[in-house]
Amino acid sequence: DAGITQSPRHKVTETGTPVTLRCHQTENHRYMYWYRQDPGHGLRLIHYSYGVKDTDKGEVSDGYSVSRSKTEDFLLTLESATSSQTSVYFCAISANQRDEQYFGPGTRLTVT
Amino acid sequence: QKEVEQDPGPLSVPEGAIVSLNCTYSNSAFQYFMWYRQYSRKGPELLMYTYSSGNKEDGRFTAQVDKSSKYISLFIRDSQPSDSATYLCASVSGSARQLTFGSGTQLTVLP
Protein backbone atom coordinates (compact mmCIF):
# COMPACT_ATOMS: atom_id res chain seq x y z
CA ASP A 1 0.00 0.00 0.00
CA ALA A 2 1.13 3.51 -0.79
CA GLY A 3 2.22 5.30 2.37
CA ILE A 4 -0.65 7.71 2.84
CA THR A 5 -2.28 8.52 6.15
CA GLN A 6 -5.12 10.87 6.92
CA SER A 7 -6.00 12.41 10.24
CA PRO A 8 -8.37 12.48 11.88
CA ARG A 9 -10.25 9.48 10.48
CA HIS A 10 -13.54 10.63 11.92
CA LYS A 11 -14.67 14.05 13.12
CA VAL A 12 -17.92 15.58 14.27
CA THR A 13 -17.98 19.34 14.49
CA GLU A 14 -20.49 22.16 14.77
CA THR A 15 -21.51 24.63 12.09
CA GLY A 16 -19.26 27.66 12.04
CA THR A 17 -16.18 26.04 13.55
CA PRO A 18 -12.87 25.76 11.70
CA VAL A 19 -11.66 22.30 10.77
CA THR A 20 -8.30 21.12 9.43
CA LEU A 21 -7.71 17.74 7.86
CA ARG A 22 -4.21 16.41 7.37
CA CYS A 23 -2.77 14.19 4.68
CA HIS A 24 0.69 12.74 5.14
CA GLN A 25 2.66 10.73 2.58
CA THR A 26 5.93 8.84 2.76
CA GLU A 27 6.31 8.30 -1.02
CA ASN A 28 7.88 11.67 -1.86
CA HIS A 29 5.31 12.15 -4.64
CA ARG A 30 5.03 15.60 -6.17
CA TYR A 31 1.27 15.75 -6.61
CA MET A 32 -1.28 15.67 -3.80
CA TYR A 33 -5.04 15.99 -4.05
CA TRP A 34 -8.07 16.49 -1.84
CA TYR A 35 -11.40 15.00 -2.93
CA ARG A 36 -14.81 14.79 -1.35
CA GLN A 37 -17.12 11.87 -2.03
CA ASP A 38 -20.87 12.13 -1.74
CA PRO A 39 -23.66 9.77 -2.83
CA GLY A 40 -24.61 10.38 -6.44
CA HIS A 41 -21.64 12.66 -7.10
CA GLY A 42 -18.69 10.33 -6.99
CA LEU A 43 -15.28 11.84 -6.30
CA ARG A 44 -15.01 15.58 -6.77
CA LEU A 45 -11.70 17.42 -6.65
CA ILE A 46 -11.46 20.21 -4.09
CA HIS A 47 -7.86 21.39 -4.41
CA TYR A 48 -4.59 19.90 -5.53
CA SER A 49 -0.90 20.64 -5.17
CA TYR A 50 1.85 20.20 -7.72
CA GLY A 51 4.71 21.05 -5.38
CA VAL A 52 5.58 22.73 -2.11
CA LYS A 53 3.61 25.97 -1.87
CA ASP A 54 2.08 25.31 -5.33
CA THR A 55 -1.65 24.70 -5.22
CA ASP A 56 -4.65 25.12 -7.48
CA LYS A 57 -8.42 24.92 -7.24
CA GLY A 58 -10.50 21.99 -8.29
CA GLU A 59 -14.15 21.56 -9.16
CA VAL A 60 -15.61 22.30 -5.70
CA SER A 61 -13.13 24.62 -3.96
CA ASP A 62 -15.54 27.17 -2.44
CA GLY A 63 -15.34 27.16 1.37
CA TYR A 64 -12.02 25.28 1.41
CA SER A 65 -8.40 26.31 1.55
CA VAL A 66 -5.21 24.25 1.43
CA SER A 67 -1.57 24.56 2.32
CA ARG A 68 1.53 22.56 1.54
CA SER A 69 4.67 23.67 3.35
CA LYS A 70 6.44 20.31 3.07
CA THR A 71 6.44 17.63 0.38
CA GLU A 72 4.90 15.09 2.71
CA ASP A 73 2.01 17.11 4.16
CA PHE A 74 -1.08 18.59 2.54
CA LEU A 75 -3.63 20.31 4.77
CA LEU A 76 -7.27 20.99 3.96
CA THR A 77 -9.01 23.69 5.99
CA LEU A 78 -12.67 24.47 6.29
CA GLU A 79 -12.59 28.02 7.66
CA SER A 80 -16.19 27.92 8.89
CA ALA A 81 -17.76 24.50 8.50
CA THR A 82 -21.28 24.19 7.08
CA SER A 83 -23.64 21.21 7.00
CA SER A 84 -23.14 20.94 3.22
CA GLN A 85 -19.52 20.04 3.92
CA THR A 86 -20.54 16.84 5.66
CA SER A 87 -18.81 14.26 3.50
CA VAL A 88 -16.04 11.71 3.23
CA TYR A 89 -12.75 13.36 2.33
CA PHE A 90 -10.00 11.50 0.51
CA CYS A 91 -6.44 12.51 -0.04
CA ALA A 92 -4.56 11.14 -3.05
CA ILE A 93 -1.00 11.31 -4.34
CA SER A 94 0.70 10.76 -7.66
CA ALA A 95 4.24 11.00 -8.94
CA ASN A 96 3.25 12.85 -12.11
CA GLN A 97 0.09 14.52 -13.34
CA ARG A 98 -0.91 11.68 -15.66
CA ASP A 99 0.12 8.85 -13.37
CA GLU A 100 -2.24 6.74 -11.34
CA GLN A 101 -3.36 8.29 -8.10
CA TYR A 102 -3.11 6.45 -4.80
CA PHE A 103 -5.73 7.19 -2.21
CA GLY A 104 -5.66 7.45 1.53
CA PRO A 105 -8.18 5.75 3.85
CA GLY A 106 -10.47 8.78 4.06
CA THR A 107 -11.80 11.09 6.75
CA ARG A 108 -15.48 10.99 7.59
CA LEU A 109 -16.57 14.52 8.58
CA THR A 110 -19.95 15.35 10.03
CA VAL A 111 -20.98 18.98 10.52
CA THR A 112 -23.98 19.35 12.82
CA GLN B 1 -23.45 17.14 -18.76
CA LYS B 2 -20.63 15.54 -16.82
CA GLU B 3 -17.47 14.81 -18.77
CA VAL B 4 -17.52 11.18 -17.62
CA GLU B 5 -20.85 9.40 -17.29
CA GLN B 6 -21.26 6.11 -15.48
CA ASP B 7 -24.37 4.09 -14.72
CA PRO B 8 -24.59 4.02 -10.90
CA GLY B 9 -26.33 0.65 -10.77
CA PRO B 10 -26.67 -1.11 -8.43
CA LEU B 11 -25.69 -4.19 -10.38
CA SER B 12 -26.20 -7.64 -8.89
CA VAL B 13 -24.86 -10.83 -10.50
CA PRO B 14 -24.40 -14.49 -9.46
CA GLU B 15 -20.95 -15.80 -8.69
CA GLY B 16 -19.11 -16.89 -11.83
CA ALA B 17 -20.89 -14.44 -14.13
CA ILE B 18 -19.12 -12.14 -16.56
CA VAL B 19 -19.59 -8.53 -15.49
CA SER B 20 -19.48 -5.57 -17.85
CA LEU B 21 -19.05 -2.08 -16.41
CA ASN B 22 -19.18 0.91 -18.71
CA CYS B 23 -18.47 4.62 -18.93
CA THR B 24 -18.81 7.21 -21.65
CA TYR B 25 -16.85 10.42 -21.88
CA SER B 26 -17.28 13.62 -23.82
CA ASN B 27 -13.81 15.22 -23.77
CA SER B 28 -11.91 14.25 -26.92
CA ALA B 29 -8.66 15.29 -25.23
CA PHE B 30 -8.83 12.39 -22.77
CA GLN B 31 -5.95 10.02 -23.44
CA TYR B 32 -5.45 8.04 -20.24
CA PHE B 33 -8.10 5.86 -18.66
CA MET B 34 -8.27 4.17 -15.30
CA TRP B 35 -10.52 1.89 -13.32
CA TYR B 36 -10.60 2.03 -9.56
CA ARG B 37 -12.24 -0.38 -7.13
CA GLN B 38 -13.58 0.91 -3.84
CA TYR B 39 -14.70 -1.34 -1.02
CA SER B 40 -17.18 0.00 1.49
CA ARG B 41 -15.63 2.58 3.82
CA LYS B 42 -12.24 2.33 2.12
CA GLY B 43 -10.30 4.52 -0.29
CA PRO B 44 -10.32 3.73 -4.03
CA GLU B 45 -7.56 1.46 -5.30
CA LEU B 46 -6.28 1.35 -8.87
CA LEU B 47 -7.28 -1.72 -10.87
CA MET B 48 -6.35 -0.89 -14.44
CA TYR B 49 -4.54 1.91 -16.28
CA THR B 50 -4.69 2.19 -20.04
CA TYR B 51 -3.51 4.55 -22.72
CA SER B 52 -5.05 4.69 -26.21
CA SER B 53 -7.68 2.42 -27.67
CA GLY B 54 -7.69 -1.33 -27.34
CA ASN B 55 -7.76 -3.96 -24.63
CA LYS B 56 -5.61 -4.52 -21.59
CA GLU B 57 -5.89 -7.72 -19.59
CA ASP B 58 -4.84 -8.45 -16.01
CA GLY B 59 -5.98 -11.77 -14.63
CA ARG B 60 -9.77 -11.83 -14.55
CA PHE B 61 -10.00 -8.15 -15.47
CA THR B 62 -10.00 -6.65 -18.96
CA ALA B 63 -10.14 -2.93 -19.66
CA GLN B 64 -11.31 -1.80 -23.06
CA VAL B 65 -11.14 1.68 -24.57
CA ASP B 66 -12.88 2.73 -27.77
CA LYS B 67 -11.86 6.30 -28.50
CA SER B 68 -13.96 6.50 -31.66
CA SER B 69 -17.14 6.10 -29.62
CA LYS B 70 -15.70 7.55 -26.38
CA TYR B 71 -16.54 4.37 -24.51
CA ILE B 72 -14.66 2.73 -21.64
CA SER B 73 -15.41 -0.76 -20.35
CA LEU B 74 -14.23 -3.06 -17.61
CA PHE B 75 -14.96 -6.78 -17.87
CA ILE B 76 -14.68 -9.12 -14.92
CA ARG B 77 -14.59 -12.85 -15.73
CA ASP B 78 -15.56 -15.54 -13.25
CA SER B 79 -16.80 -12.92 -10.80
CA GLN B 80 -16.35 -13.63 -7.10
CA PRO B 81 -18.15 -12.31 -4.00
CA SER B 82 -14.87 -10.53 -3.17
CA ASP B 83 -15.41 -8.43 -6.32
CA SER B 84 -18.40 -6.78 -4.64
CA ALA B 85 -17.46 -3.10 -4.51
CA THR B 86 -18.01 0.20 -6.25
CA TYR B 87 -16.10 0.60 -9.50
CA LEU B 88 -15.07 4.05 -10.68
CA CYS B 89 -13.79 4.97 -14.10
CA ALA B 90 -11.51 7.98 -14.55
CA SER B 91 -9.95 9.84 -17.45
CA VAL B 92 -7.31 12.53 -17.94
CA SER B 93 -6.00 14.47 -20.88
CA GLY B 94 -2.32 14.82 -21.70
CA SER B 95 -2.17 18.42 -20.53
CA ALA B 96 -4.48 18.32 -17.53
CA ARG B 97 -3.35 18.00 -13.96
CA GLN B 98 -6.46 16.33 -12.66
CA LEU B 99 -8.47 13.18 -13.21
CA THR B 100 -12.16 13.29 -14.04
CA PHE B 101 -14.09 10.52 -12.31
CA GLY B 102 -17.36 8.86 -13.12
CA SER B 103 -19.84 8.61 -10.26
CA GLY B 104 -19.20 4.88 -9.76
CA THR B 105 -21.15 1.63 -10.27
CA GLN B 106 -22.01 -0.46 -7.24
CA LEU B 107 -21.53 -4.18 -7.92
CA THR B 108 -22.69 -7.09 -5.79
CA VAL B 109 -21.66 -10.64 -6.63
CA LEU B 110 -23.96 -13.14 -4.96
CA PRO B 111 -22.52 -16.46 -3.75
Side-chain angles (χ1 to χ4, degrees):
Chain A
D1 290 344
I4 310 169
T5 57
Q6 292 183 233
S7 59
R9 293 293 313 281
H10 299 86
K11 186 170 182 68
V12 179
T13 192
E14 293 184 348
T15 298
T17 60
V19 177
T20 295
L21 308 183
R22 179 180 182 241
C23 178
H24 178 79
Q25 61 146 329
T26 58
E27 305 296 321
N28 201 36
H29 281 354
R30 179 183 175 191
Y31 288 81
M32 298 185 75
Y33 310 82
W34 276 109
Y35 292 90
R36 59 177 291 174
Q37 188 173 39
D38 306 286
H41 291 279
L43 284 162
R44 293 183 291 174
L45 183 66
I46 304 171
H47 281 280
Y48 66 98
S49 169
Y50 47 97
V52 173
K53 296 192 185 339
D54 292 323
T55 65
D56 205 351
K57 296 179 180 180
E59 178 187 357
V60 290
S61 59
D62 288 348
Y64 302 94
S65 63
V66 290
S67 66
R68 191 170 177 199
S69 58
K70 297 185 291 185
T71 298
E72 58 267 33
D73 290 326
F74 192 32
L75 304 180
L76 177 71
T77 297
L78 290 65
E79 301 290 347
S80 178
T82 67
S83 58
S84 64
Q85 293 175 312
T86 292
S87 187
V88 181
Y89 291 86
F90 287 101
C91 173
I93 64 173
S94 67
N96 294 297
Q97 63 198 53
R98 294 186 297 276
D99 283 355
E100 56 268 36
Q101 293 183 13
Y102 298 96
F103 285 80
T107 294
R108 191 168 295 270
L109 177 67
T110 302
V111 183
T112 61
Chain B
Q1 181 191 9
K2 294 183 68 173
E3 284 192 304
V4 179
E5 299 277 359
Q6 186 173 6
D7 186 341
L11 180 62
S12 183
V13 301
E15 183 176 354
I18 297 174
V19 176
S20 172
L21 303 168
N22 307 295
C23 291
T24 59
Y25 65 94
S26 57
N27 188 340
S28 299
F30 285 156
Q31 295 178 288
Y32 304 85
F33 305 92
M34 303 167 201
W35 282 96
Y36 285 83
R37 177 177 62 196
Q38 185 177 21
Y39 291 116
S40 180
R41 295 183 173 266
K42 301 288 187 183
E45 57 178 337
L46 182 72
L47 264 182
M48 302 286 280
Y49 181 99
T50 58
Y51 169 69
S52 78
S53 288
N55 293 354
K56 181 177 181 179
E57 190 173 318
D58 184 2
R60 296 184 296 110
F61 298 91
T62 300
Q64 188 175 83
V65 177
D66 183 346
K67 286 190 172 180
S68 62
S69 59
K70 297 188 177 66
Y71 206 77
I72 315 163
S73 300
L74 178 71
F75 298 97
I76 307 175
R77 292 184 299 280
D78 188 25
S79 56
Q80 302 295 310
S82 59
D83 296 326
S84 298
T86 296
Y87 291 80
L88 301 128
C89 61
S91 304
V92 63
S93 69
S95 59
R97 285 177 167 156
Q98 50 187 286
L99 296 180
T100 301
F101 282 88
S103 56
T105 299
Q106 185 180 345
L107 171 69
T108 301
V109 181
L110 303 170

